Amino acid sequence: MIQIQNVYKSFEDQPVLRGVTLDIKRGSSHIIIGRSGCGKSVLLKHIVGLMRPDSGDILIDGHSIVNMRRRDLYKTRIKIGMLFQGAALFDSMNVAENVSLGVREHRLFPANEIDDRVAAKLELVNLPGIEKKLPSELSGGMKKRVGLARALMMEPEYMLYDEPTTGLDPVTADAINDLINSVRDKLGVTSIVVTHDMASAYKVGDSISMLHEGNVIFSGTPESIRTHEDPIVQNFITGSKVVMH
Amino acid sequence: MVVYLTQALGRNVLQFLERAGGTFILLAQIIFESRTAWRDRRIIIEQMHAVGVMSLPLVSVTSLFTGAVSAWQAAYQFEGMVSLTYLGGATAIAIFMELGPVLTALVLAGRVGASIAAELGTMKVTEQIDALECLAISPARYLAMPRFWGVTIMLPILTVYANIIALFGAYVVAYTLLEVSGTMFFDSVQTFFELRNVLGGLTKSVAFGATISLVGCYVGFQTHGGAEGVGRSTIDAFVLSAILILINDYILALLIF
């Protein structure tokens, strides 16, 4: 379980997170929505320990990661996979080297098994046989799927997705949504998806939270958000100005 | 006006202290992470190849002409006062103690230090460094440590090579333009040769190598602001390395010679 407790974060006196509190249950798919610049990606980076909150706490399976020693933080990170918005593949490595880097460095599996495991993960993300390609030879959607394969190679318990469908055409975006669902169903991975794509949120989410000006202004099921009365929530999910009476 | 100047001064001092502190923290991390150097020898050797072998053409051209011009200018200054029989020894001392180590370091600051900053800066702005962190791989170990040792080991080796090429350049000018025979030139080199001059120059080049790589890595890791930020980091890394090389050169010359 991931618990975010009253987290505050500012950048040069510009507050981004203002007391965010969220609980994400194991095995669920939790969606975090909100307008651009509302702090969604910053929140995700706090969960994986890439940023530290000014105050508040973040607990992964009951252990606070805020003041954790580096070695313990790295052990915790092995349980968490992250798919970055731009995939963040290593330019100088081919697909196989990208996907296998983590497990090779941590020696999680015997060396003679790694190639087969890479092939299996690429098969899982529907990209078989592209081991030798360089990131520069891949399309945006392919890069995201390779990024997902790289994260899944470590067999994480939690998967964080930062805008997984942004910049993709609707068909590829839908394929990514199917992949996120398939990863949750086949591997039992808890997913946290940051997005402003409502089609993706409805398709993938068991629960949705909305961030606005650094606060959580809604938390509930995809069904309940559709009928929520807050005009800010309605404006966001319908993509138009709605006046509530 | 006074308040404004005081604030600006304070801001710059704080920024300087923050950067100096950050650089020393990175150095401490690199030294700590060096415990895995044997395990990571493949990436260290890759860096040594990138720094050393790939820099050979540039170092060759720079040192050949440095040696040539130093022989020509020494002869000009000797004119009417000192016999040209001392030309070989005088140019060799200048090359071994100063020109070889400093010019090779400045060339590497431009070719290698700036490229380290650009490479790591690009990785920073495209979130590749965050991705490494998410894979629980320390960027200080995987990226900075191999570059640090790659440059620190290869710069003294390149300096020895540069010294030899520069001495050859000086000999070519002495023989072809100044009518100094090979025997006279190299006898003079042998007469004035002191091992401590060469070792002093190499000690300086170790310090220069550490400076170039550390500055390149630190500036690269601090990059922000997209492509423009990467460009800024590349320039900053070269300028800062060049200044620190010259300051270090002065301090080390006082200590060693």
Side-chain angles (χ1 to χ4, degrees):
Chain A
M1 183 173 185
I2 295 176
Q3 295 160 284
I4 301 159
Q5 298 176 340
N6 206 24
V7 165
Y8 282 80
K9 181 72 177 179
S10 298
F11 296 104
E12 293 175 0
D13 299 333
Q14 177 73 39
V16 176
L17 302 178
R18 308 179 198 210
V20 173
T21 297
L22 266 180
D23 285 348
I24 294 148
K25 293 190 183 75
R26 264 184 177 273
S28 67
S29 253
H30 191 90
I31 312 297
I32 300 170
I33 58 170
R35 296 181 65 177
S36 300
C38 72
K40 305 185 297 289
S41 297
V42 169
L43 183 61
L44 218 52
K45 287 186 175 178
H46 277 78
I47 295 172
V48 78
L50 289 173
M51 287 182 181
R52 283 189 178 186
D54 298 335
S55 66
D57 207 354
I58 293 158
L59 288 88
I60 311 280
D61 296 336
H63 301 288
S64 168
I65 61 162
V66 172
N67 292 313
M68 210 175 235
R69 289 185 343 170
R70 201 168 180 80
R71 191 193 302 173
D72 297 328
L73 181 62
Y74 276 6
K75 278 183 192 160
T76 304
R77 276 188 189 151
I78 289 179
K79 295 198 284 187
I80 306 172
M82 180 150 173
L83 175 60
F84 288 85
Q85 193 172 343
L89 299 181
F90 306 115
D91 302 328
S92 55
M93 299 179 191
N94 65 27
V95 167
E97 288 164 341
N98 261 285
V99 174
S100 64
L101 180 67
V103 293
R104 280 189 202 280
E105 286 295 315
H106 297 293
R107 298 180 177 175
L108 295 181
F109 308 115
N112 58 357
E113 284 182 18
I114 289 177
D115 288 348
D116 291 341
R117 284 176 181 268
V118 168
K121 285 292 179 278
L122 288 174
E123 185 86 45
L124 182 72
V125 298
N126 303 320
L127 288 175
I130 63 155
E131 283 89 340
K132 299 290 174 209
K133 284 192 183 290
L134 286 168
S136 56
E137 298 172 280
L138 306 177
S139 68
M142 289 167 88
K143 281 182 187 170
K144 293 211 179 188
R145 282 186 277 168
V146 172
L148 179 57
R150 180 175 70 185
L152 293 175
M153 193 72 182
M154 305 274 278
E155 302 193 339
E157 294 167 31
Y158 301 96
M159 258 313 296
L160 313 184
Y161 301 87
D162 189 4
E163 310 266 12
T165 56
T166 299
L168 302 179
D169 66 80
V171 177
T172 312
D174 200 49
I176 295 282
N177 291 332
D178 287 339
L179 258 178
I180 295 171
N181 283 336
S182 144
V183 163
R184 182 197 54 193
D185 298 339
K186 283 185 190 165
L187 308 175
V189 174
T190 307
S191 305
I192 303 171
V193 184
V194 155
T195 186
H196 41 53
D197 172 2
M198 285 313 297
S200 174
Y202 290 136
K203 182 157 186 177
V204 171
D206 299 323
S207 55
I208 299 179
S209 294
M210 180 166 172
L211 270 184
H212 181 71
E213 294 181 349
N215 285 305
V216 177
I217 60 166
F218 170 85
S219 243
T221 61
E223 293 73 34
S224 62
I225 197 170
R226 290 178 202 264
T227 53
H228 196 67
E229 289 190 350
D230 187 334
I232 297 169
V233 174
Q234 284 305 314
N235 288 346
F236 183 83
I237 65 170
T238 58
S240 59
K241 283 267 181 202
V242 175
V243 181
M244 302 299 286
H245 300 286
Chain B
M1 182 68 178
V2 175
V3 174
Y4 175 77
L5 284 174
T6 315
Q7 281 177 338
L9 182 69
R11 224 179 2 253
N12 284 325
V13 169
L14 278 177
Q15 200 178 44
F16 171 77
L17 290 175
E18 191 184 320
R19 286 181 181 177
T23 310
F24 279 108
I25 289 170
L26 179 60
L27 177 62
Q29 283 177 335
I30 288 171
I31 291 168
F32 177 72
E33 299 290 1
S34 296
R35 69 195 193 284
T36 63
W38 178 249
R39 199 192 119 178
D40 293 325
R41 61 190 179 279
R42 190 183 58 82
I43 30 182
I44 295 176
I45 291 167
E46 275 173 15
Q47 288 302 319
M48 287 168 69
H49 178 264
V51 172
V53 179
M54 306 307 281
S55 301
L56 279 178
L58 188 60
V59 170
S60 303
V61 173
T62 316
S63 10
L64 187 73
F65 283 96
T66 302
V69 80
S70 57
W72 184 256
Q73 293 205 335
Y76 173 74
Q77 290 178 44
F78 283 4
E79 210 170 278
M81 289 190 291
V82 183
S83 159
L84 284 181
T85 51
Y86 298 117
L87 184 67
T91 45
I93 289 175
I95 288 166
F96 294 159
M97 287 173 64
E98 191 63 26
L99 295 174
V102 173
L103 287 177
T104 311
L106 288 173
V107 166
L108 252 72
R111 207 198 83 83
V112 176
S115 108
I116 289 175
E119 189 183 359
L120 299 189
T122 305
M123 290 184 76
K124 179 80 193 308
V125 299
T126 54
E127 294 187 311
Q128 292 177 50
I129 289 179
D130 283 348
L132 262 188
E133 283 275 6
C134 284
L135 293 172
I137 298 169
S138 157
R141 178 184 78 72
Y142 192 76
L143 298 173
M145 188 268 285
R147 283 164 177 76
F148 178 82
W149 289 117
V151 183
T152 308
I153 293 169
M154 287 315 289
L155 188 52
I157 295 171
L158 279 173
T159 303
V160 171
Y161 172 78
N163 287 344
I164 294 167
I165 298 292
L167 200 60
F168 174 72
Y171 163 70
V172 170
V173 167
Y175 183 74
T176 55
L177 302 176
L178 301 168
E179 294 174 357
V180 176
S181 72
T183 316
M184 190 192 289
F185 185 86
F186 287 108
D187 276 353
S188 167
V189 171
Q190 207 171 1
T191 309
F192 286 94
F193 182 84
E194 281 188 49
L195 188 61
R196 80 183 187 105
N197 290 342
V198 178
L199 293 181
L202 294 182
T203 307
K204 287 202 288 188
S205 66
V206 171
F208 298 157
T211 304
I212 292 167
S213 52
L214 198 57
V215 168
C217 291
Y218 179 74
V219 172
F221 284 148
Q222 297 302 313
T223 304
H224 55 88
E228 195 185 335
V230 174
R232 212 170 30 238
S233 287
T234 310
I235 296 167
D236 284 354
F238 173 66
V239 172
L240 195 57
S241 296
I243 292 170
L244 289 175
I245 285 166
L246 296 174
I247 294 172
N248 279 347
D249 183 42
Y250 173 70
I251 295 169
L252 290 170
L254 291 182
L255 292 174
I256 296 170
F257 301 114

